[in-house]
């Protein structure tokens, strides 16, 4: 009778060991699957971050280009302003205007005298 009891206990221990190993394997499998899910989520986050960096780089390139264009246009405007100032300060233009004003006054006076003598 006693040998049967020992054999039954040995079978239960074998079953318990098998169940424990199976439970350990399941837990490890679940942990590995959870790790895979976490890595996939992290990969997705890095892809989104990469896209954001690309978008920001494009925006910075546009800003840089616009700043360069502004500098160029400002230099051109400075040249044009200098030209305009030189035309404005041109003594010849002032002399011509003065001569035309004097001639206008002279001719107006002559017309006045002509119509006064008739009337």
């Amino acid at each position: 009778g006693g040998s049967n009891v020992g054999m039954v206990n040995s079978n239960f221990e074998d079953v318990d060991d098998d169940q424990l190993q199976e439970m350990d394997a399941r837990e490890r499998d679940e942990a590995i699957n959870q790790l895979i899910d976490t890595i996939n989520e992290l990969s997705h986050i890095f892809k989104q971050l990469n896209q954001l960096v690309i978008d920001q780089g494009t925006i910075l390139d546009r800003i840089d280009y616009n700043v360069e264009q502004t500098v160029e246009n400002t230099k051109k405007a400075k040249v044009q302003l200098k030209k305009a100032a030189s035309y404005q300060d041109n003594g010849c233009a002032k002399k011509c205007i003065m001569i035309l004003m004097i001639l206008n006054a002279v001719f107006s006076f002559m017309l006045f005298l002509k119509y006064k003598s008739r009337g």
Side-chain angles (χ1 to χ4, degrees):
S3 66
N4 277 345
V5 172
M7 206 184 295
V8 170
N9 281 342
S10 174
N11 285 342
F12 279 133
E13 287 175 8
D14 287 343
V15 169
D16 286 343
D17 285 343
D18 289 343
Q19 286 177 345
L20 284 175
Q21 287 177 355
E22 191 176 317
M23 285 175 53
D24 282 345
R26 272 191 241 144
E27 286 176 3
R28 274 189 251 124
D29 191 44
E30 286 176 19
I32 290 171
N33 285 335
Q34 212 171 24
L35 183 62
I36 290 171
D37 289 343
T38 303
I39 290 172
N40 285 335
E41 287 177 23
L42 190 59
S43 172
H44 181 70
I45 289 170
F46 274 109
K47 286 177 184 176
Q48 287 178 331
L49 184 61
N50 182 44
Q51 187 60 45
L52 286 173
V53 169
I54 290 170
D55 292 345
Q56 293 299 318
T58 302
I59 290 170
L60 285 176
D61 289 344
R62 281 191 218 141
I63 290 171
D64 184 48
Y65 175 77
N66 288 336
V67 168
E68 288 175 7
Q69 291 300 310
T70 301
V71 169
E72 269 187 51
N73 290 336
T74 302
K75 287 178 183 177
K76 289 177 184 176
K78 186 177 177 183
V79 169
Q80 294 299 321
L81 284 172
K82 284 183 179 180
K83 284 182 184 178
S86 71
Y87 290 142
Q88 198 172 28
D89 292 338
N90 192 350
C92 181
K94 287 181 182 177
K95 288 178 187 173
C96 288
I97 291 172
M98 287 301 289
I99 291 171
L100 287 173
M101 288 176 65
I102 291 170
L103 286 174
N104 192 14
V106 169
F107 288 130
S108 295
F109 184 69
M110 289 172 66
L111 281 173
F112 174 73
L113 289 178
K114 180 178 177 183
Y115 287 111
K116 185 180 178 189
S117 64
R118 284 187 172 183

